[in-house]
């Protein structure tokens, strides 16, 4: 198969990676192929679904002009610096310029050991591969910046986890795989020329406008900060908990990356944590903006020494910039929340109204997704579904009457109002209990049908379908708390 790969990262950034071949696997077969993404990338889908595609997306047979590399990076993991991480279970095989002229990385995840694998096997298990496919695709459909899944390939091999699991390989597509941790790797070694080369490359690739700015690296920093503020505001307005916001899992492009321990909230509880290893709730839902800012401070630390001026002055400029993170975040968040409530214009009291609703939701165990979704039904005259989300709905009446006055000032037609809200408040999210059902069927019963059905459901998250009712419902309140695990 011919894919017109290019290799700007490999060609321009020698010393930032190691060349490495994928490990072969037994009898690969395509479990799921993302045809619309393949088309976006300009791939000819016909050849991809069969053995030839399986051979390519498992790493068994690389296309002629592939150039597999494992990128090096460092990272703050739960606040502690690890000077050397890197692609331990992934290989960038090349870049493709898509139909819109955007350069995208094509990476195999779970393709075997690399020089950065440390004690790991470099492989991925089927469950986490399908999980990443499902959740990243849902995020894309929500309009949230994310890496995407191009293909999931099953094999007849096994990987040793807490027990043996079927091995799989995921093909991941991203705007790039440059992370905050990529900068930290060279900064920690005092290799400032390398930091500068990486920054120049990232600017060229992601923020070309910055090149002409007077204060290039500060402007680069600002651009990354804005992207992250927007991304985290998007997560917050959909109830997404990333779960492992280490600096090696924060991209420069502003895409969500690393779907290991992430999950969506059912009931609105700001302190929600799913990850089994997040004992202190560092990456809890409500902490995400703060952690985003903390991670950006690590990027700032790597960039400041690029300036030859008096460091104190440069530090102050970066600190002043970092201080604006909250303003950006709040602005994006408010924009998202206004849209969720059906507001078109801005009014002084909007923030209070939003916060009052969130407070009621928290106090009364309301389901995050359905509360917002059912607001449109209230607008159309039915309060039942909305109020049904609250364990005690008495206090919601006063809030609803204020909201109804507010929303009708912007859009007098209830029907149009409801349409606007339904277009931003999904009815279907990848509910944890439904993900588990789908993965259990795939992994333990060799049955991919529930995964495929769920993928189809979350791929159209905004249009309500009676037949998909089971995917809209939260789990029973008696269910045990949901726990997620790192690693694939
Ligand atoms: P993550 O928790 O996915 O952000 O990964 C943290 C680090 O561990 C990265 O450097 C990964 O490449 C590495 N890693 C995770 N799982 C494996 C594995 N199965 N084999 C080798 N390295 C791994
Ligand atoms: Mg990672």
């Amino acid at each position: 198969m011919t894919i017109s790969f290019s290799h700007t990262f490999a060609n321009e950034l020698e010393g930032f990676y190691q060349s490495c071949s994928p490990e072969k696997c037994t009898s690969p077969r395509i479990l799921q192929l993302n045809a619309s993404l393949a088309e976006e990338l300009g791939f000819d889908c016909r050849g991809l679904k069969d053995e030839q595609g399986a051979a390519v997306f498992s790493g068994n047979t690389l296309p002629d002009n592939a150039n597999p590399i494992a990128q090096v990076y460092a990272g703050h993991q739960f606040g502690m610096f690890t000077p050397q991480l890197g692609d331990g279970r992934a290989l960038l095989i090349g870049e493709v310029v898509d139909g819109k002229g955007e350069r995208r990385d094509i990476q195999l995840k779970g393709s075997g050991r690399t020089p950065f694998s440390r004690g790991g096997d470099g492989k991925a298990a089927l469950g986490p591969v399908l999980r990443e496919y499902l959740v990243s695709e849902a995020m894309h459909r929500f309009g949230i910046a994310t890496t995407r899944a191009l293909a999931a390939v099953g094999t007849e091999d096994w990987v040793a986890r807490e027990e043996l699991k079927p091995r799989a390989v995921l093909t991941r597509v991203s705007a790039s795989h440059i992370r905050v941790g990529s900068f930290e790797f060279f900064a920690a070694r005092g290799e400032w020329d390398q930091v500068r080369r990486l920054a120049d490359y990232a600017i060229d690739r992601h923020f070309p406008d910055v090149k002409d700015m007077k204060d290039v690296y500060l402007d680069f920093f600002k651009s990354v900060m804005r992207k992250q503020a927007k991304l985290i505001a998007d997560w917050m307005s959909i109830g997404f908990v990333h779960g492992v916001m280490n600096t090696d899992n924060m991209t420069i492009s502003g895409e969500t990356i690393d779907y290991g321990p992430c999950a969506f909230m059912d009931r609105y509880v700001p302190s929600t944590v799913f990850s089994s290893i997040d004992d202190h709730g560092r990456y809890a839902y409500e902490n995400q903006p703060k952690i985003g800012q903390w991670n950006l401070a690590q990027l700032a630390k790597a960039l400041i020494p690029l300036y030859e001026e008096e460091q104190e002055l440069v530090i102050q400029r970066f600190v002043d910039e970092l201080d604006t993170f909250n303003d950006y975040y709040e602005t994006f968040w408010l924009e998202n929340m206004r849209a969720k409530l059906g507001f078109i214009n801005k009014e002084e009291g909007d923030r209070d109204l939003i916060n009052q609703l969130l407070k009621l939701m928290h106090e009364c165990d309301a389901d995050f997704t359905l509360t917002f979704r059912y607001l449109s039904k209230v607008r159309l005259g039915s309060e039942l579904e909305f109020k049904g989300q609250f364990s005690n709905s008495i206090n919601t009446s006063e809030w609803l009457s204020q909201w109804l006055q507010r929303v009708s000032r912007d859009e007098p037609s209830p029907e149009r109002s409801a349409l606007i809200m339904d277009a931003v408040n999904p009815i279907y999210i990848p509910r944890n209990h439904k993900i588990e059902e789908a993965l259990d069927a795939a992994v333990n019963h060799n049955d991919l049908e529930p995964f495929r059905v769920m993928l189809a459901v979350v791929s159209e998250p905004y249009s309500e379908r009676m037949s998909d009712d089971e995917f809209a419902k939260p789990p029973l309140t008696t269910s045990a708390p949901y726990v997620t695990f790192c690693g694939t």
Side-chain angles (χ1 to χ4, degrees), residues 9 22 77 101 125 172 181 207 297 317 323 339 364 373 419 457 462:
F9 190 97
Q77 301 180 298
R172 178 162 77 178
F207 309 102
R317 294 217 307 273
D323 280 345
C364 301
R373 177 69 186 197
L419 277 178
V457 169
Y462 297 109

Side-chain angles (χ1 to χ4, degrees), residues 184-309:
E184 288 179 286
F185 177 81
F186 296 98
R189 297 153 62 109
E191 296 181 8
W192 304 113
D193 282 348
Q194 300 291 68
V195 174
R196 187 185 307 279
R197 279 173 73 201
L198 184 60
D200 290 343
Y201 176 87
I203 290 167
D204 251 350
R205 184 155 171 182
H206 296 298
F207 309 102
D209 295 348
V210 165
K211 246 188 325 195
D212 304 323
M213 303 277 188
K214 213 170 75 224
D215 204 343
V216 176
Y217 300 116
L218 185 67
D219 280 305
F220 166 57
F221 177 70
K222 249 190 244 184
S223 308
V224 177
M225 191 179 77
R226 255 183 248 139
K227 289 262 185 198
Q228 285 296 333
K230 165 76 175 131
L231 180 67
I232 296 170
D234 286 352
W235 292 352
M236 297 301 277
S237 38
I238 206 93
F240 179 77
V241 184
H242 181 280
V244 61
M245 287 178 72
N246 296 336
T247 53
D248 51 302
N249 294 331
M250 184 185 253
T251 59
I252 295 303
S253 68
E255 286 182 343
T256 311
I257 196 171
D258 207 320
Y259 283 90
C262 67
F264 290 85
M265 266 193 301
D266 293 304
R267 284 181 299 123
Y268 175 59
V269 180
S271 60
T272 296
V273 172
F274 294 107
S275 170
S276 63
I277 57 169
D278 193 358
D279 294 332
H280 303 289
R282 179 180 170 90
Y283 299 141
Y285 170 80
E286 64 189 345
N287 287 346
Q288 296 185 117
K290 207 166 61 191
I291 291 292
Q293 193 181 26
W294 191 91
N295 287 351
L296 288 160
Q298 309 317 309
L299 177 62
K301 278 194 218 164
L303 295 175
I304 287 166
L306 297 184
Y307 288 83
E308 279 162 13
E309 309 152 52

